[in-house]
């Protein structure tokens, strides 16, 4: 587990795998990864922490985590290493001769060059572009149908207490900023300008904390900043619209039937496909955001059997 979304994605998969296999869960101390694991009562082994925003710090922390993996499994080696593009785990697996499989659903990540070349099996979403796979040097590729967020949202049940618990007013917009620490993007774009405009129009705008500087910006703009960790899917469901600067939560909004808007500076293939299908709108100016009260619950599932499909991919890799 190298990032917060990995916890939600792998939790149902681990629950199934643990019926037949010994599963060792390792985690990097980054974002809400550790706090989510604790909140969900998932046992894990800590291996390293975030290396900061600079490229040199990222490289140094990666090699420290690689060393941590090697020390951790220098006795009995696992039969398979599984991750969602955890570069340090993939590199350690290669050095130790452990078969590994990685999942990925974003084609603009430059570190795919490392992860895909070193992985025995690369598992991507069905629409992942073929030219990107060739460019990143993927050898054996398996595709799955659907969105990875469906793995943990397929049994989603709305909590009717959420509007009262958070004192939600209508219309209500939930927003999550772009990352300011990733390799593939920098800055906020027009994210804060959009939120300020909506707030001035009387919209109840809440911001999910992502970057260290979010707190100071929200304070200056008088925007409520939600503490973490938090049950984001519930808030997304009860929102009249979601504005995202990343991928995972934006797709959660699509699945949960909440009007989804994106300010992601470098949209990947999934974002572009969801836009083409009419499930996602990109904000290029403040006037692009139209907030209406959300109607009835109309989820959009692209593959109701995605959990079984992904578990089968992992089990097949063990055979």
């Amino acid at each position: 587990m190298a990032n917060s979304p990995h916890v939600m994605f792998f939790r149902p998969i681990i629950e199934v795998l643990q019926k037949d296999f010994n599963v060792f869960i390792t985690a990097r101390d980054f974002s809400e990864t550790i706090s989510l694991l604790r909140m969900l009562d998932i046992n894990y082994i800590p291996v390293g922490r975030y290396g900061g925003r600079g490229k040199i710090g990222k490289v140094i922390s990666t090699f420290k985590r690689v060393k941590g993996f090697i020390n951790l499994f220098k006795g009995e080696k696992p039969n398979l290493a599984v991750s969602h593009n955890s570069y340090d785990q993939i590199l350690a697996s290669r050095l130790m001769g452990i078969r590994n499989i990685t999942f990925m659903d974003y084609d603009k990540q430059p570190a795919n060059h490392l992860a895909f070349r070193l992985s025995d099996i690369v598992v991507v979403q069905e629409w992942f572009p073929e030219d990107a796979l060739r460019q990143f040097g993927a050898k054996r590729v398996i595709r799955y149908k659907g969105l990875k967020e469906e793995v943990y949202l397929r049994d989603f049940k709305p909590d009717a207490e959420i509007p009262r618990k958070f004192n939600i007013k209508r219309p209500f917009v939930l927003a999550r900023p772009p990352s300011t620490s990733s390799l593939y993007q920098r800055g906020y774009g027009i994210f804060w300008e959009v939120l300020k405009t909506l707030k001035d129009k009387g919209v109840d705008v809440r911001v999910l904390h992502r970057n260290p500087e979010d707190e100071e910006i929200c304070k200056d703009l008088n925007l409520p900043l939600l503490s973490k960790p938090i049950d984001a899917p519930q808030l997304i469901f009860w929102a009249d619209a979601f504005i995202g600067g990343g991928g995972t939560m934006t797709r959660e909004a699509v699945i949960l039937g909440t009007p989804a808007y994106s300010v992601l500076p470098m949209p990947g293939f999934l974002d572009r496909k969801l836009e083409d299908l009419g499930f996602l709108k990109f904000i290029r100016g403040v006037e692009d955001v139209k907030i209406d009260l959300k109607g009835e619950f109309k989820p959009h599932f692209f593959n109701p059997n995605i959990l079984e499909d992904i578990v089968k991919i992992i089990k097949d890799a063990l055979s």
Side-chain angles (χ1 to χ4, degrees):
M1 311 277 193
N3 202 352
S4 311
H6 302 171
V7 179
M8 304 305 295
F9 171 65
F10 280 116
R11 182 177 67 157
I13 297 169
I14 289 168
E15 288 176 353
V16 176
L17 289 175
Q18 282 178 329
K19 297 175 183 177
D20 300 306
F21 304 97
N22 292 322
V23 182
F24 294 89
I25 302 162
T26 62
R28 176 178 68 147
D29 188 359
F30 174 65
S31 191
E32 296 95 56
T33 307
I34 299 299
S35 54
L36 278 172
L37 286 165
R38 289 173 177 167
M39 185 178 78
L40 297 172
D41 199 25
I42 298 175
N43 294 324
Y44 67 94
I45 303 168
V47 180
R49 55 181 63 241
Y50 176 52
R53 298 182 180 183
K55 291 183 179 180
I56 294 176
K58 290 180 185 291
V59 171
I60 292 173
S61 65
T62 291
F63 281 104
K64 285 183 177 179
R65 291 196 300 273
V66 168
K67 183 180 179 181
F69 277 115
I70 293 174
N71 290 336
L72 183 62
F73 294 109
K74 61 185 177 183
E76 184 179 359
K77 296 190 299 186
N79 298 102
L80 182 70
V82 184
S83 75
H84 202 283
N85 248 37
S86 175
Y87 323 116
D88 40 288
Q89 189 214 53
I90 292 169
L91 180 54
S93 300
R94 177 60 64 185
L95 292 172
M96 298 173 69
I98 300 172
R99 185 173 174 80
N100 75 82
I101 179 172
T102 187
F103 292 80
M104 189 53 175
D105 62 351
Y106 185 55
D107 58 323
K108 300 298 183 183
Q109 172 57 271
N112 286 347
H113 281 288
L114 171 67
F116 284 21
R117 282 181 168 82
L118 295 180
S119 293
D120 294 295
I121 303 173
V122 176
V123 185
V124 295
Q125 203 272 348
E126 62 177 332
W127 300 320
F128 200 102
E130 189 67 36
D131 59 343
L133 291 170
R134 289 194 297 270
Q135 175 191 351
F136 294 134
K139 297 181 286 291
R140 182 183 174 192
V141 176
I142 299 176
R143 295 179 180 271
Y144 65 88
K145 180 181 178 182
L147 306 180
K148 78 174 189 298
E149 293 75 18
E150 295 179 60
V151 169
Y152 55 90
L153 289 179
R154 68 176 192 170
D155 297 323
F156 176 84
K157 292 180 176 58
D159 181 354
E161 288 297 306
I162 292 295
R164 181 195 61 80
K165 182 179 177 181
F166 286 88
N167 193 27
I168 290 173
K169 306 292 190 299
R170 300 294 178 182
F172 166 50
V173 169
L174 185 68
R176 190 172 191 239
S179 169
T180 59
S181 62
S182 63
L183 286 171
Y184 50 85
Q185 66 184 34
R186 288 290 185 273
Y188 291 99
I190 63 170
F191 178 78
W192 297 111
E193 179 186 354
V194 170
L195 299 193
K196 181 67 166 58
T197 301
L198 291 174
K199 181 178 180 300
D200 291 344
K201 290 182 178 180
V203 176
D204 182 4
V205 180
R206 314 282 179 96
V207 180
L208 289 166
H209 198 176
R210 185 170 194 172
N211 310 293
E213 59 270 32
D214 293 344
E215 186 172 1
E216 190 63 32
I217 296 174
C218 283
K219 185 177 180 180
D220 290 342
L221 297 177
N222 195 26
L223 288 168
L225 183 67
L226 297 169
S227 58
K228 53 185 182 181
I230 202 165
D231 192 341
Q234 286 290 343
L235 282 170
I236 290 171
F237 170 81
W238 290 103
D240 295 300
F242 177 79
I243 299 176
T248 297
M249 288 189 183
T250 304
R251 290 189 290 273
E252 288 177 353
V254 169
I255 293 167
L256 295 175
T258 298
Y261 293 88
S262 176
V263 294
L264 186 64
M266 292 179 61
F269 75 98
L270 266 182
D271 309 285
R272 299 190 298 271
K273 183 68 174 182
L274 291 173
E275 181 186 35
D276 291 342
L277 293 173
F279 291 117
L280 175 63
K281 295 179 181 179
F282 285 95
I283 302 173
R284 295 172 178 87
V286 175
E287 67 282 354
D288 291 338
V289 184
K290 311 293 183 188
I291 306 299
D292 297 312
L293 294 180
K294 180 180 173 181
E296 61 180 304
F297 180 30
K298 293 182 179 179
H300 305 291
F301 290 99
F302 299 85
N303 180 8
N305 299 314
I306 189 170
L307 174 59
E308 291 80 5
D309 292 349
I310 286 178
V311 168
K312 184 178 186 304
I313 291 172
I314 296 173
K315 286 186 174 182
D316 287 348
L318 279 160
S319 60

